[in-house]
Amino acid sequence: MLPDAWHLTEDIDDFLARAGDFLRSCPALHNTPLTTLEKWQSQPGGFIPGAVLFGRLESAGETQAIFYRPPTRRLTLTALSPERADALAVYLTGLGHTLAGVTADHDTATAFAEAWQRHTGATPTLRVRMHLYRLDTLTPPNPHPDGHSRPVGERDHDRLVRWCRGLAADLGETVTINASSWASTRFAEKSYTFWETPDGTPVSMAGVNPMVAGMVRVDPVYTPAHLRGRGYAAGVTAEVSRAARAAGATEVVLYTNADNPTSNALYQRLGYRRITDWAAYDFTHATPETS
């Protein structure tokens, strides 16, 4: 039997031709690379040739895992055993690659972060731990919040940008979202739905990524702080989940912050079931002392 071998390329079309079936074989667990690669392929200017390194692990003639490293130098990985994670760290350091962090399922991310520390001396810091949920049987919120849903249109763009800025601030991100930068942000490719009170006032929103491999990811869900606790997020999440199923999605997934018990309880009440944990680590490299 041939040994495991990583194959690297900067050609997204070649990479998908060889790894696409593997990614589509488990769309819920592979939702992050599937949606990211779909965005890079479909959005004009969304992908710069030569800017992303793709890797594909082949064993016995079949793809077993993949990674990609965009200009941020953050590695995104599919599931690997600790031994394969260590072997990948050895391989990448041997080629002289540098990394700013890793994102993967919790066990893979942790194994790779520890391996990267062993082989490079970098210090890994857990940035965030998330739960990945898959929709089982949708259960409408009870009690049903006052109001109704409606699609977000062009006239709503200013409010949408403000709310995405608010979400980014809540997540501790550097807020750079505005009308001119919107098209280049991670929010631009999604479609959005508002929840409105009976008088037509928007009070919550949910976005969904374009369907790929029969999978839709709900992302983001946001309610301004002064409007929380009234069930609006439950109403809009249930509606976009229902609409995704009605449009033919066989998998509807979403991520939550593992440290937010409110959102985790909400999605479970709606019929979402946790399938794995996710983690993102940052790598800090020691600065050489100057004499």
Side-chain angles (χ1 to χ4, degrees):
M1 181 180 294
L2 294 175
D4 291 356
W6 282 97
H7 301 273
L8 307 186
T9 183
E10 294 179 345
D11 186 329
I12 189 171
D13 294 324
D14 176 70
F15 174 73
L16 280 172
R18 299 176 185 274
D21 287 346
F22 165 75
L23 290 171
R24 290 187 292 270
S25 70
C26 197
L29 290 176
H30 296 162
N31 75 87
T32 296
L34 281 169
T35 55
T36 300
L37 290 162
E38 174 69 16
K39 175 182 176 179
W40 285 342
Q41 278 206 309
S42 63
Q43 285 197 336
F47 179 77
I48 301 174
V52 180
L53 178 68
F54 300 97
R56 181 178 59 88
L57 177 64
E58 186 175 294
S59 180
E62 294 185 357
T63 298
Q64 302 290 327
I66 66 97
F67 76 75
Y68 55 87
R69 189 204 63 187
T72 60
R73 295 187 297 114
R74 292 194 59 84
L75 198 71
T76 294
L77 277 170
T78 58
L80 289 173
S81 67
E83 295 77 17
R84 282 175 162 174
D86 185 83
L88 176 59
V90 170
Y91 180 57
L92 292 178
T93 55
L95 293 175
H97 292 295
T98 59
L99 298 175
V102 63
T103 301
D105 68 273
H106 183 271
D107 290 349
T108 298
T110 300
F112 184 85
E114 292 172 350
W116 196 252
Q117 182 177 31
R118 286 194 299 272
H119 298 296
T120 70
T123 301
T125 302
L126 181 63
R127 177 199 291 181
V128 64
R129 187 169 63 90
M130 297 170 285
H131 297 320
L132 174 60
Y133 286 88
R134 171 201 282 140
L135 182 61
D136 187 8
T137 300
L138 180 62
T139 303
N142 185 19
H144 191 273
D146 291 338
H148 57 273
S149 66
R150 73 162 175 85
V152 173
E154 286 296 322
R155 63 188 174 91
D156 303 304
H157 189 67
D158 288 346
R159 185 188 301 272
L160 180 61
V161 171
R162 288 199 308 272
W163 282 8
C164 288
R165 287 176 59 86
L167 173 67
D170 285 355
L171 295 175
E173 299 175 358
T174 301
V175 181
T176 59
I177 306 164
N178 55 43
S180 60
S181 68
W182 174 259
S184 63
T185 70
R186 62 185 174 87
F187 301 101
E189 78 274 12
K190 309 171 193 293
S191 59
Y192 292 88
T193 298
F194 278 159
W195 192 263
E196 291 185 335
T197 55
D199 66 359
T201 302
V203 289
S204 188
M205 74 170 185
V208 295
N209 288 268
M211 189 186 307
V212 55
M215 179 275 303
V216 166
R217 187 173 73 234
V218 178
D219 170 43
V221 177
Y222 178 75
T223 305
H226 68 285
L227 296 169
R228 293 170 189 169
R230 307 180 195 186
Y232 298 142
V236 73
T237 301
E239 174 54 28
V240 297
S241 302
R242 182 206 62 76
R245 281 273 177 85
T250 55
E251 298 279 15
V252 184
V253 302
L254 55 79
Y255 287 106
T256 67
N257 189 315
D259 295 327
N260 188 331
T262 300
S263 63
N264 281 280
L266 160 65
Y267 298 127
Q268 291 178 68
R269 289 196 302 271
L270 294 178
Y272 280 87
R273 303 292 176 254
R274 194 171 92 188
I275 56 174
T276 193
D277 289 344
W278 215 255
Y281 285 89
D282 294 329
F283 297 153
T284 302
H285 295 263
T287 301
E289 295 183 1
T290 57
S291 57

